[in-house]
Amino acid sequence: MINQLLASRRSLFLGLVLLTFTVTSCLGLAKGSEPNVTLIGSGATFPAPLYQRWFSEYNKQKPAIQVAYQAVGSGAGIEQFTQGTVDFGASDVAMKDDEIKKVKQGVVLLPMTAGTIVIGYNVPDQKTGLKLSRKALGDIFLGKLQKWNDPAIAKVNPDAKLPDLPIIVVHRSEGSGTTAVFTKLLSKISPEWKEKVGDGKAVDWPTGVGGRGNEGVAALVQQIAGAIGYIEYGYAKPTKIPVANLENKSGQYVEPNTESALKALATAKLPDNLRVFITDPEGEGVYPLVTYTWIMAQKQYEDKVKAKTLKEVMTWSLTEGQKLSEEMGYVPLPQQTVEKVKAALAKIQA
Amino acid sequence: MTSIAPTQNSDQSAAQGMDRSFARPQTLMDLVWTGIAFTLLGIALLPLLLVLGYVIFKGIGRFNLDLFTQQIPAALQPGGGVGSAIAGTLLTVAIATLISVPLSILAAVYLSEFSSKNIADWIRFATNALSGVPSIIVGIFAYGMFVVTIGKFSALAGGVALAILMLPLIVRSTDEALQLVPQDVRWASAVVGASQFQTVLQVILPAALPTILTGITLAIARAAGETAPLIFTTLFSQFWPRGLFEPIPTLAVLIYNFATVPFQNQQEIAWAASLLLVLLVLLSSLFARWITRKSFYSQSQ
Amino acid sequence: MTAATSNADIQPRSSTDKLLDQSFSRLTLVCAFSVAAVLVWIAIVVGIQALPAMQKFGLGFLTGTKWNSAKETFGALPMIYGTLVSSLIALLLAVPTGLASAIVLSENFLPRSIRTTLVFLIELLAAIPSIIYGFWGIFVVIPFLKGIGTWLHQYLGWLPLFSTPPIGPGMLPAGVVLSIMILPILTVLSRDALASLPSDLRSGAYSVGSTRWQTIFKILIPAAFSGIVSGIMLSLGRALGETMAVTLVIGNSNDLNFSLLAPANTISSLVVSQFSEATGLQKSSLMYAALVLFAITLIVNIWALIIVRKVKQ
């Protein structure tokens, strides 16, 4: 009777079994002399293009090693890393002490790259390089400055023919390290912002539309006429979104590029715990919106192979990987910084 | 209603062949209403054309062999394809099917063969209510139950989430199919001495099979297109799936991720993936229809 | 009816057979109850996680207008409003269109073969994954509605409904995309309701001289009313719970705004945006909002099911 039972069900399940078989056999495809290792990371969208490029290049060199990085936002990255559902996290805002305490295996913070946050805009006939004063920047995001041809903007840009177009602010809809860095600057330059809104990974924006990830903000800025938003440069560069020259603390209008970013990085010394915020730096040719971005790894990993692989991948990224930074719109780490990070990397144990 | 329209033979369907050549005000109003109705029907069909047309237009450019064999590209990487996402979708849907099909069919067997009317009513009610639960809620439920407890994002958790979505659909269609099998068949089976077990498995289920398969096919098509549950369970990856306990890429999540990026290459890939999903859905709908034609016992139109 | 079998062929059932039967029926019972239990399980899990927020905010959660994770105050009114209004817009657009299509496809305005094909085409609309509607919505619906929205704002801007200029994503595009998504369910269910009416109704009406549309309006629709209403309720349930299509076109703004042209947010869109990063009170508040959504969709769906039950009896 059992045979009859099997026979009658065969046609029903045969297709499914075949399908699963085919798919599971694909799973065995990536086999080499090395054992397969998979590392999973999630976090900030800010460095995501660079990280994914790194891990893809590394995978080309060593096919057995797959490092999957999913950009979900700094907030979600910290949370998933704390919960242990991913092997490493990433954030543009280094974890605070009370956040670190929640991770029982301990946390090692590794600044992997630095980047500039640019203010992208979409104003018809306006090229890149529009000057925005500190006050104008604050007022735009507060919702007080509402038109592109407002004198506050027109004064500083005498040659630009600014249209009578409403300004549409684009911000992030989820918890973002990029937001945290940007709002820190806004709090510094605008007391009103500090009082009304404050800084953080997610804030109560006075005005505007929300986009998901840096990519969402970039896409919305491209789509909405009159839009202005804060984006990591790696997203603005390939899409050629016009970016503003911001006024720094010294009163200069600076264009975002590797040079002005490196100058900003140089103003802040990286302490031993590798946490530093470069908020509103001062100096000649310094671009005011620059930040490191961190990968958070556990101090202790249960799996020896994972720990070893993680260290290898990160070492590669700190050395070979940095060669890709500039073309992708990020700032390559200065050599002293690389040494410091390598020292921190050594603290990871299995 | 003062008009006296000529009546037709009663054995013909009454609405056929009605003489509408009378130029009465009522008949003119009728024409107006018919015009409005047809216009609205046209408007109803328009989005279908627009969506399908747009997806084909944007997606066909990248529809080549690379699409099926290459890995997902990172930002600013050229080329690439959605091969790994196709594998991921197949894997999660296969897991979901393996979980939901036996469970649903056995549940439906209980409903039509073994249960009392009262209990059956309540269970049917609950099943129908389950089909109305928003997929986002199934997603956060699956996250709490199957990701946090296991400790990582996995294809398995994704499969379970999709299975929850498929359950009510398969239960409902199997239940209806089994109810359509006439009682005589069951009695005849009992008369020759078959046990209930044998009757169900060897007589009733095979008879209802085409409709059951239709239900399964439609449920699979739905599961393949779901995004929200997968975001919280399978996360995403660029690489080919290597096991059940890892995050994997899927077509739906790929489209979600790439829909809002400003990178040309990834957007093109997302459109090609959309075209692929739409074709998948189209083919399974056609397949489901084709199977139902072979039913022994079906509802008359 | 003496069979040609001898008594020896008819044997009492063996104990193995009986055991198999019993365990089989037990197994099916377990499966059936499990399926029903999933619904309860989901409600419990979401409910438990929502408790801290429920205790802190109580019913004020439903009227609070600020969603601020930094200050830890959460009020879901803008999102509840967004969920209800976007679904309402969807219904306003889909009901006339769907009902008209259902009428054309159930009465014989067209030959049967064309009708079957058209019904199939409309069912296809239902099968398209929602993420594709969202994706398409960004590139087709939003630009299309921007033009209409600009016109509405220009000439009817004194109405609170159109008081802000359209910028792209917003409540209106979300409502339109939702209406396209619920159209097939509504059409098919209404069509089924109309098609299953006995033909005597029609022949009776025509025999006393009604025109086709008089029959439709005065006899058929009232007779099929329950079926049509249940179709409307089921599609409303679908619209309320829809996530992916909405989150891509609604603008993700947590501010309450009466203008349909302004960006907004729905509960499902809020949850999908913030869930991954939420901890503590924020997570609990998201679960509370999800519970509210669950309750709303459950009520709507159960109402629809009750109506269907009444029709069948």
Side-chain angles (χ1 to χ4, degrees):
Chain A
M1 212 219 358
I2 307 295
N3 292 330
Q4 287 173 314
L5 165 64
L6 286 175
S8 67
R9 289 289 199 119
R10 199 176 291 155
S11 55
L12 191 63
F13 284 115
L14 189 60
L16 290 168
V17 171
L18 266 179
L19 193 66
T20 324
F21 193 68
T22 325
V23 174
T24 40
S25 63
C26 292
L27 301 183
L29 269 180
K31 268 200 161 78
S33 52
E34 287 176 53
N36 287 341
V37 186
T38 308
L39 289 173
I40 306 158
S42 75
T45 59
F46 183 101
L50 186 61
Y51 287 174
Q52 286 171 345
R53 178 77 188 274
W54 281 346
F55 304 146
S56 173
E57 295 293 327
Y58 195 79
N59 177 256
K60 285 193 191 136
Q61 291 180 11
K62 293 193 174 178
I65 302 186
Q66 283 182 0
V67 185
Y69 180 76
Q70 174 66 345
V72 292
S74 299
I78 293 180
E79 175 57 23
Q80 286 169 358
F81 173 67
T82 310
Q83 290 213 351
T85 46
V86 293
D87 298 315
F88 64 92
S91 164
D92 310 327
V93 173
M95 283 172 87
K96 294 184 223 149
D97 284 328
D98 55 335
E99 289 172 332
I100 293 180
K101 279 207 189 85
K102 290 190 197 163
V103 186
K104 32 185 181 66
Q105 300 94 334
V107 177
V108 176
L109 292 172
L110 307 162
M112 298 301 294
T113 185
T116 42
I117 299 177
V118 297
I119 304 297
Y121 52 87
N122 177 351
V123 184
D125 301 326
Q126 291 305 316
K127 295 212 187 85
T128 192
L130 199 65
K131 297 198 180 91
L132 286 177
S133 68
R134 289 157 74 86
K135 186 157 191 331
L137 191 65
D139 287 346
I140 288 176
F141 280 88
L142 274 169
K144 287 167 65 178
L145 226 168
Q146 293 177 348
K147 291 256 167 116
W148 280 104
N149 59 356
D150 190 294
I153 308 177
K155 233 183 353 182
V156 209
N157 298 283
D159 301 326
K161 291 195 209 67
L162 296 163
D164 182 20
L165 188 64
I167 300 181
I168 314 284
V169 165
V170 183
H171 53 76
R172 294 284 287 274
S173 60
E174 83 283 21
S176 146
T178 318
T179 302
V181 176
F182 181 57
T183 48
K184 269 202 170 72
L185 179 70
L186 285 179
S187 294
K188 264 277 177 77
I189 64 182
S190 165
E192 195 183 339
W193 178 276
K194 186 172 179 161
E195 196 198 312
K196 268 196 184 163
V197 187
D199 68 289
K201 293 202 279 290
V203 298
D204 191 14
W205 294 92
T207 175
V209 205
R212 195 173 39 93
N214 266 294
E215 61 269 22
V217 175
L220 282 173
V221 168
Q222 278 183 319
Q223 287 162 13
I224 301 176
I228 186 169
Y230 56 97
I231 335 171
E232 200 287 322
Y233 188 46
Y235 290 87
K237 186 176 177 198
T239 53
K240 301 204 179 54
I241 294 176
V243 298
N245 290 358
L246 296 181
E247 184 189 0
N248 68 13
K249 196 166 180 188
S250 312
Q252 288 179 308
Y253 286 91
V254 185
E255 183 194 316
N257 53 37
T258 316
E259 205 187 311
S260 56
L262 281 171
K263 286 197 180 135
L265 283 181
T267 63
K269 184 175 173 314
L270 200 61
D272 287 332
N273 67 359
L274 298 178
R275 276 191 302 190
V276 69
F277 298 112
I278 311 159
T279 313
D280 203 12
E282 198 168 353
E284 168 87 28
V286 159
Y287 184 75
L289 271 177
V290 179
T291 180
Y292 284 107
T293 182
W294 286 261
I295 280 191
M296 291 116 34
Q298 291 170 215
K299 254 201 194 127
Q300 276 266 13
Y301 281 96
E302 271 179 26
D303 188 334
K304 280 201 185 133
V305 181
K306 265 197 186 166
K308 178 166 162 292
T309 314
L310 185 64
K311 286 159 97 162
E312 283 170 8
V313 176
M314 293 301 138
T315 310
W316 183 92
S317 308
L318 285 168
T319 49
E320 289 299 308
Q322 299 293 314
K323 297 181 188 160
L324 294 167
S325 302
E326 199 165 346
E327 84 182 58
M328 299 215 41
Y330 295 88
V331 183
L333 291 178
Q335 191 55 31
Q336 310 160 292
T337 315
V338 172
E339 296 308 318
K340 283 192 178 160
V341 182
K342 277 189 184 168
L345 197 54
K347 290 194 201 144
I348 299 178
Q349 296 152 356
Chain B
M1 274 196 275
T2 53
S3 65
I4 304 169
T7 53
Q8 291 295 302
N9 315 342
S10 49
D11 38 315
Q12 271 187 329
S13 166
Q16 275 176 333
M18 238 188 67
D19 193 335
R20 280 182 281 133
S21 60
F22 292 49
R24 291 163 191 264
Q26 289 141 327
T27 318
L28 273 174
M29 261 321 281
D30 263 28
L31 282 176
V32 170
W33 280 117
T34 309
I36 295 177
F38 268 85
T39 316
L40 287 176
L41 176 65
I43 294 179
L45 291 170
L46 193 61
L48 181 69
L49 288 172
L50 290 176
V51 176
L52 285 183
Y54 197 75
V55 171
I56 294 175
F57 166 62
K58 296 279 278 199
I60 200 85
R62 293 294 289 262
F63 221 71
N64 47 32
L65 196 61
D66 268 358
L67 189 70
F68 292 88
T69 55
Q70 294 288 326
Q71 215 164 263
I72 299 169
L76 298 178
Q77 266 185 343
V82 297
S84 35
I86 297 176
T89 300
L90 287 177
L91 185 61
T92 35
V93 172
I95 297 173
T97 312
L98 283 172
I99 297 176
S100 62
V101 167
L103 194 61
S104 313
I105 294 185
L106 287 175
V109 165
Y110 176 76
L111 286 176
S112 73
E113 307 300 312
F114 298 128
S115 69
S116 68
K117 183 156 197 321
N118 241 351
I119 299 184
D121 276 352
W122 277 109
I123 298 183
R124 285 195 180 107
F125 203 64
T127 310
N128 281 324
L130 185 62
S131 69
V133 175
S135 60
I136 179 78
I137 293 183
V138 174
I140 57 183
F141 167 74
Y143 175 76
M145 287 290 105
F146 302 107
V147 175
V148 179
T149 44
I150 298 180
K152 55 199 318 207
F153 294 96
S154 61
L156 192 63
V160 173
L162 290 183
I164 297 177
L165 290 171
M166 290 170 72
L167 280 176
L169 298 174
I170 305 179
V171 168
R172 191 162 33 194
S173 63
T174 310
D175 188 22
E176 283 173 6
L178 291 175
Q179 284 181 357
L180 282 173
V181 176
Q183 262 316 78
D184 307 5
V185 175
R186 295 181 181 80
W187 290 333
S189 178
V191 160
V192 298
S195 64
Q196 280 187 312
F197 181 57
Q198 284 169 316
T199 311
V200 170
L201 278 166
Q202 294 172 332
V203 180
I204 303 183
L205 277 180
L209 200 58
T211 317
I212 298 178
L213 280 182
T214 308
I216 296 178
T217 313
L218 292 175
I220 289 180
R222 168 146 185 220
E226 280 293 336
T227 319
L230 294 179
I231 295 177
F232 300 119
T233 48
T234 56
L235 201 64
F236 195 68
S237 155
Q238 290 155 273
F239 306 103
W240 291 87
R242 282 206 298 212
L244 294 178
F245 288 95
E246 287 175 4
I248 56 168
T250 48
L251 285 172
V253 179
L254 180 139
I255 299 173
Y256 175 66
N257 281 341
F258 290 178
T260 49
V261 298
F263 304 117
Q264 182 75 346
N265 189 33
Q266 287 183 327
Q267 277 229 328
E268 286 175 10
I269 297 253
W271 282 113
S274 301
L275 180 57
L276 195 59
L277 256 188
V278 167
L279 283 177
L280 177 78
V281 153
L282 192 71
L283 286 174
S284 34
S285 299
L286 286 169
F287 182 62
R289 288 233 144 190
W290 176 76
I291 309 175
T292 333
R293 290 231 193 104
K294 299 181 155 194
S295 310
F296 298 152
Y297 311 111
S298 54
Q299 282 173 330
S300 43
Q301 281 286 19
Chain C
M1 275 200 330
T2 33
T5 55
S6 69
N7 284 344
D9 289 348
I10 304 170
Q11 290 161 345
R13 295 208 296 160
S14 69
S15 50
T16 358
D17 267 1
K18 278 192 199 153
L19 189 60
L20 211 50
D21 262 6
Q22 265 189 332
S23 19
F24 182 63
S25 64
R26 290 255 169 81
L27 179 65
T28 58
L29 184 135
V30 167
C31 289
F33 274 88
S34 310
V35 173
V38 172
L39 179 70
V40 179
W41 193 14
I42 295 179
I44 293 178
V45 167
V46 176
I48 291 181
Q49 300 205 331
L51 269 177
M54 287 169 87
Q55 283 166 343
K56 175 136 200 235
F57 302 115
L59 286 175
F61 186 71
L62 303 174
T63 50
T65 53
K66 283 288 164 200
W67 188 275
N68 193 331
S69 47
K71 301 207 178 99
E72 296 239 304
T73 45
F74 299 106
L77 186 62
M79 279 63 80
I80 297 177
Y81 177 77
T83 305
L84 294 174
V85 171
S86 57
S87 306
L88 191 65
I89 297 177
L91 274 188
L92 282 174
L93 293 172
V95 168
T97 323
L99 201 51
S101 311
I103 293 172
V104 173
L105 293 173
S106 65
E107 302 305 300
N108 55 359
F109 291 92
L110 297 164
R112 176 160 291 202
S113 53
I114 298 189
R115 266 186 279 158
T116 324
T117 322
L118 288 181
V119 171
F120 176 63
L121 286 182
I122 292 196
E123 281 173 352
L124 267 187
L125 260 183
I128 295 181
S130 52
I131 181 72
I132 295 184
Y133 278 115
F135 199 16
W136 174 75
I138 297 177
F139 293 97
V140 176
V141 176
I142 286 182
F144 174 66
L145 285 178
K146 185 133 189 252
I148 296 183
T150 316
W151 184 91
L152 283 169
H153 176 65
Q154 220 175 348
Y155 295 108
L156 297 173
W158 44 272
L159 279 174
L161 280 182
F162 305 120
S163 52
T164 61
I167 51 168
M171 183 80 86
L172 192 58
V176 169
V177 173
L178 277 179
S179 72
I180 298 177
M181 294 180 70
I182 65 174
L183 188 62
I185 311 172
L186 209 124
T187 309
V188 168
L189 287 175
S190 306
R191 193 208 83 96
D192 283 351
L194 286 167
S196 60
L197 291 174
S199 53
D200 305 359
L201 276 180
R202 293 180 184 86
S203 44
Y206 296 136
S207 67
V208 297
S210 322
T211 62
R212 169 168 296 182
W213 279 97
Q214 281 172 333
T215 319
I216 292 175
F217 282 131
K218 298 224 166 111
I219 306 222
L220 297 182
I221 291 186
F225 198 62
S226 321
I228 295 175
V229 168
S230 81
I232 294 179
M233 301 296 276
L234 282 174
S235 46
L236 175 63
R238 172 87 199 267
L240 291 168
E242 181 50 50
T243 315
M244 302 319 299
V246 172
T247 194
L248 291 176
V249 297
I250 200 163
N252 298 303
S253 161
N254 295 339
D255 291 324
L256 191 57
N257 199 324
F258 289 114
S259 168
L260 295 180
L261 305 172
N265 213 358
T266 62
I267 297 177
S268 49
S269 170
L270 177 78
V271 173
V272 90
S273 305
Q274 297 195 350
F275 186 72
S276 304
E277 76 216 28
T279 51
L281 190 61
Q282 186 183 5
K283 188 165 193 180
S284 181
S285 305
L286 285 175
M287 288 301 202
Y288 189 0
L291 196 65
V292 171
L293 179 65
F294 195 6
I296 298 177
T297 46
L298 208 62
I299 293 174
V300 168
N301 277 301
I302 289 180
W303 203 349
L305 290 173
I306 293 179
I307 298 177
V308 169
R309 279 257 201 99
K310 282 199 186 144
V311 175
K312 278 195 179 155
Q313 282 158 358

